[in-house]
Amino acid sequence: VNTSYLNLRTGPSASFDVLSTVSGGTVLPVTAVYEDFVWYQVSTPDGFGWLNSEFTIARGDFAGVPLVKYGTLVSVNTDQTTTSSEGD
């Protein structure tokens, strides 16, 4: 799936508010994966937010990335696992 812009949300669902919009090609560290495996929590200069993984390209090993249920405390993972939104 290609997208020029991707909404960064306050929670792991399209029903959550948009925190910011990420441009295509942006690379962000993944700090957690939601239990449905559709949403990635990422770290940005604006703070933490959630991206729909269907609009990203995963890079790296996700073995060390925590799987979470929404509402649980997530610690920041400092490894090099990232995701990028695919642009035109």
Side-chain angles (χ1 to χ4, degrees), residues 4-84:
S4 296
Y5 298 96
L6 188 58
N7 288 328
L8 179 69
R9 298 194 174 268
T10 57
S13 165
S15 63
F16 283 87
D17 292 335
V18 174
L19 181 64
S20 65
T21 302
V22 180
S23 298
T26 302
V27 177
L28 299 166
V30 176
T31 56
V33 177
Y34 188 57
E35 64 185 334
D36 65 3
F37 296 99
V38 174
W39 292 88
Y40 295 152
Q41 184 188 57
V42 296
S43 177
T44 75
D46 297 326
F48 292 97
W50 294 88
L51 296 176
N52 186 318
S53 65
E54 295 175 10
F55 300 100
T56 66
I57 299 172
R59 301 176 195 268
D61 182 7
F62 277 55
V65 177
L67 181 67
V68 298
K69 294 182 178 184
Y70 187 72
T72 60
L73 180 63
V74 176
S75 61
V76 176
N77 189 349
T78 59
D79 68 15
Q80 295 300 310
T81 304
T82 60
T83 187
S84 65

